[in-house]
Amino acid sequence: MKLYHYFRSSASYRVRIALNLKGLAYEALAVDLRPSVRAQRSAEYLAINPEGLVPVLVDGERVFTQSLAIVEYLEETHPQPPLLPRDPQGRARVRALALVIACEMSPLNNSGVLGYLKGPPLEADESTVNAWYAHWIARGFDALEQEVAGTSSDGRHMYGTAVTLADVCLVPQMYNARRYQCDLTPYPALRSICAHLETLPEFARAAPERFARGASG
Ligand SMILES: N[C@@H](CCC(=O)N[C@@H](CS)C(=O)NCC(=O)O)C(=O)O
């Protein structure tokens, strides 16, 4: 398999974690999202993904876009270890936790949105952009901190006692929140879940630092 990704992209980070959890080898192909490069808008890349976004997973002749669709594709084609509970209620709960991050937080703070805030016609200054970022992080994490009190069974996972799709989404979002220096002190439960997950080799091997420009991968 091939993964088009960017080291700091949280959506790419999710897929890297899922590939590792499923024990799948992949070739990582960097798409440079830096504003000075914008490789995601090149004709070559748009021919692969007209959405102009990373990640993209290529499995044989098939091209898959959208990180959660990719993770669910991996779940269906490689069911072990499962990233969703067996029962429909549990599956709905885990998907809801994941979607708080993937739909309510991440899309408001992704590089394209932040770039639009900074550029014409809005031209928001750095403190305004940071306030925007922190607002959406707080709104999502406030909710999740309360929700995991009812869904985590061990204080080490978002749901139950095993890694799920919700955990795959949490770690990249926490990474980004730390990068933007958001105040995470109100979220002790999320921080302790994240600290545990980051000790797992499948998460550690997916970390942005492993793929930063100049890193060996
Ligand atoms: N909903 C998409 C979001 C993908 C996304 O926003 N990717 C960002 C990086 S995290 C990107 O490619 N940004 C480039 C751009 O907006 O031009 C997913 O989950 O895959």
Side-chain angles (χ1 to χ4, degrees):
M1 290 194 215
K2 289 182 188 169
L3 178 69
Y4 291 89
H5 77 139
Y6 184 62
F7 73 112
R8 275 184 183 148
S9 148
S10 61
S12 303
Y13 192 176
R14 291 173 200 151
V15 176
R16 295 196 300 263
I17 294 168
L19 285 162
N20 292 343
L21 288 167
K22 297 293 185 182
L24 298 169
Y26 64 96
E27 182 186 355
L29 302 169
V31 180
D32 195 335
L33 301 187
R34 283 178 298 169
S36 56
V37 182
R38 286 171 59 81
Q40 76 276 24
R41 304 304 309 177
S42 68
E44 188 189 4
Y45 188 71
L46 288 172
I48 298 166
N49 182 8
E51 298 160 31
L53 299 170
V54 289
V56 163
L57 184 76
V58 181
D59 187 10
E61 298 298 306
R62 310 274 174 144
V63 175
F64 299 97
T65 66
Q66 292 290 331
S67 61
L68 292 202
I70 294 170
V71 175
E72 293 239 12
Y73 168 74
L74 295 174
E75 176 76 355
E76 288 174 20
T77 51
H78 300 84
Q80 297 302 325
L83 296 177
L84 290 168
R86 283 173 183 265
D87 60 304
Q89 295 79 8
R91 294 165 90 82
R93 202 73 199 91
V94 166
R95 286 188 174 115
L97 294 169
L99 290 172
V100 171
I101 295 169
C103 292
E104 312 298 335
M105 301 173 73
S106 186
L108 290 154
N109 283 352
N110 72 22
S111 52
V113 167
L114 300 184
Y116 183 69
L117 285 174
K118 289 175 196 165
L122 300 178
E123 294 181 344
D125 60 22
E126 195 181 332
S127 72
T128 306
V129 173
N130 288 345
W132 167 280
Y133 196 101
H135 171 77
W136 298 110
I137 290 290
R139 200 169 131 140
F141 280 170
D142 282 350
L144 287 175
E145 181 74 10
Q146 289 183 50
E147 295 192 55
V148 295
T151 58
S152 178
S153 303
D154 60 3
R156 289 157 37 122
H157 302 89
M158 297 276 279
Y159 181 91
T161 58
V163 172
T164 65
L165 178 65
D167 300 308
V168 167
C169 291
L170 177 68
V171 168
Q173 193 62 71
M174 289 288 270
Y175 169 87
N176 271 3
R178 288 196 300 259
R179 187 173 154 231
Y180 277 82
Q181 296 172 353
C182 297
D183 179 15
L184 297 177
T185 51
Y187 315 115
L190 296 179
R191 283 190 284 113
S192 99
I193 291 169
C194 188
H196 165 67
L197 294 169
E198 285 174 335
T199 66
L200 303 178
E202 294 86 354
F203 283 75
R205 282 191 284 114
E209 296 73 28
R210 298 282 185 108
F211 295 90
R213 287 181 302 279
S216 54

